[in-house]
Amino acid sequence: MEFKKYKAIFFDWDGTAVLSRKAPVDDIIPPMTKLLEKGVKLAIISGTTYENIAFGRLHELIPAEARKNLYLGLGRGVYNDGYNEKGELVHLQDNTPDVATKLKIDAVCFELHKILFEKYGYASDIVFTRPNYCKIDIMVGSDRGEQLFLQSNEIDAVNADLKRHGYDGGLRGLCDLAAELGAKNGLTLKATTDAKYIEVGATTKSDNVDFLLTEVMKPAGIELADCCFWGDEYTYLGEGITGSDYQMVTELTKGGDFFDCAPAPMKLPEGVVGCGGGIKTFENFLRAQGEM
C-alpha cells in the first residue's frame, strides 16, 4: 500500500506501536526519532499514562531536540502533554475531574455492576484507580496478560456470556446503560469498550485528538489533510459500537486518513482503511515516511 507524505501522525500505542507495554521498544523508537528530527509531529494517543509508554523512559530514548515535535494525548482524554525546547515534559492540558465528580463516576459504575449482578447473576470487577474514569471488567475470567488490546474472539465470547445470563443488550446496551445512569446523576458520560472492559468517564481519546489538532497542529500550519491516524481497534464490536481507536474520529477529524493495522481486521467503519500486519505494518509505515 502506498501512502502520501504526512506532516503529523496520530497513533495508538498498545497494539499499534508496540505489542505490549512490557515489549521492547527498540524497533519503533528509531523511525519515530528520524521523523521527529525531520520536523514531523508525532502524537501518541493512548488510554494509558506516561509511565506505561516505553517504560516511562520516552524522554531518555529520544534526543531532546527531537522531542519538541512529540506530543502525548493520554489517560482517555485527561492529559495532553508535549516537550519544550529543552526537551522537558510540559503539561498542555489536564482534564482531571474534582473528587466529587470522580466519586459520581465511580458510583455509576458500581450501579451498573450491581444491576448485572442482582438482576442477571453476572459478576464483574471494577477498577476505581483511573484519574478521570472508571472501568468495569466484564470478562473477569479472561486474562490478557501483557497483550492488553482487543483479542479477536472476545467480542463473540462476551456477548454470548451476557446472553447466557439473560442480558440481551450486549456491549451496546451496557454502554448505553452507563450513559443513562450518568445522566440520572447529573453527568454527561461517555462509555466505550474493548470487549473486556466498559470504560466510563466524561472524556475519551476524542478530547485528546481535538485538543492537539486545534491547539498544536493548526497553529503550526498543519491542516487535517496533513494528518493521519493509526490504531488497531477501529473495528465494530457490535451493532452501532466501535473500538476505542474510533474515538479518534470526531467532528473535527472526520474525513481524515484513518488506518487500522490489526493483524486480522474485522468489520471496519466507513472511512477506515484496514492494512493488517499488526505493529510491523505501522513500523514500516513510519520508516517509509522517514525516507520521503
Side-chain angles (χ1 to χ4, degrees):
M1 183 180 295
E2 293 186 7
F3 299 93
K4 71 180 187 182
K5 176 66 176 174
Y6 293 98
K7 296 179 182 179
I9 302 168
F10 293 72
F11 58 98
D12 172 54
W13 188 251
D14 297 324
T16 301
V18 294
L19 188 60
S20 75
R21 292 176 187 173
K22 291 190 177 179
V25 296
D26 301 8
D27 291 337
I28 199 67
I29 294 298
M32 284 176 59
T33 301
K34 186 172 183 177
L35 285 169
L36 292 168
E37 289 176 337
K38 294 180 73 171
V40 176
K41 295 193 183 298
L42 301 183
I44 299 172
I45 309 297
S46 175
T48 190
T49 54
Y50 190 83
E51 292 73 20
N52 290 319
I53 304 292
F55 310 98
R57 296 177 54 237
L58 199 57
H59 57 287
E60 298 176 16
L61 301 174
I62 295 173
E65 178 64 21
R67 291 200 294 269
K68 65 183 180 183
N69 290 313
L70 179 61
Y71 297 87
L72 303 102
L74 302 177
R76 199 180 183 269
V78 69
Y79 304 121
N80 284 298
D81 298 333
Y83 296 87
N84 61 23
E85 292 293 329
K86 296 180 180 179
E88 300 165 332
L89 187 69
V90 292
H91 300 298
L92 306 177
Q93 186 186 46
D94 187 335
N95 289 318
T96 304
D98 58 34
V99 172
T101 301
K102 180 57 168 64
L103 287 173
K104 286 183 180 180
I105 294 171
D106 292 351
V108 165
C109 290
F110 182 76
E111 184 64 22
L112 193 151
H113 159 84
K114 183 178 176 183
I115 290 170
L116 281 175
F117 192 62
E118 281 188 339
K119 191 170 181 180
Y120 301 100
Y122 194 99
S124 62
D125 282 335
I126 306 176
V127 179
F128 290 112
T129 53
R130 299 301 182 266
N132 62 319
Y133 68 97
C134 193
K135 58 194 295 183
I136 309 164
D137 184 351
I138 56 172
M139 295 184 71
V140 294
S142 174
D143 183 4
R144 286 173 167 172
E146 293 303 323
Q147 296 188 9
L148 303 182
F149 47 89
L150 174 70
Q151 309 299 305
S152 60
N153 63 334
E154 289 180 336
I155 300 169
D156 291 340
V158 70
N159 281 325
D161 200 19
L162 287 166
K163 199 163 189 176
R164 276 195 299 273
H165 284 78
Y167 183 79
D168 294 323
L171 292 167
R172 173 75 271 167
L174 291 179
C175 288
D176 289 344
L177 178 57
E180 291 169 11
L181 293 171
K184 289 180 180 178
N185 282 271
L187 300 175
T188 301
L189 298 181
K190 303 170 185 177
T192 59
T193 182
D194 65 352
K196 180 172 171 58
Y197 295 102
I198 304 291
E199 298 184 344
V200 183
T203 58
T204 68
K205 286 183 176 182
S206 297
D207 298 277
N208 292 127
V209 168
D210 283 351
F211 176 86
L212 292 173
L213 186 67
T214 302
E215 302 299 326
V216 173
M217 304 308 170
K218 288 194 174 181
I222 299 174
E223 300 297 329
L224 179 60
D226 302 315
C227 304
C228 64
F229 305 82
W230 279 80
D232 67 300
E233 291 184 7
Y234 283 102
T235 186
Y236 278 110
L237 304 182
E239 188 64 33
I241 187 166
T242 50
S244 63
D245 290 328
Y246 195 73
Q247 295 296 315
M248 290 192 283
V249 182
T250 73
E251 287 301 315
L252 293 181
T253 66
K254 193 181 297 182
D257 294 344
F258 297 89
F259 302 104
D260 189 298
C261 66
M266 292 168 274
K267 183 180 179 183
L268 292 171
E270 184 178 354
V272 179
V273 177
C275 301
I279 62 173
K280 208 65 185 175
T281 293
F282 180 64
E283 179 194 324
N284 290 337
F285 164 76
L286 291 186
R287 292 188 185 279
Q289 289 285 301
E291 297 302 320
M292 289 183 177

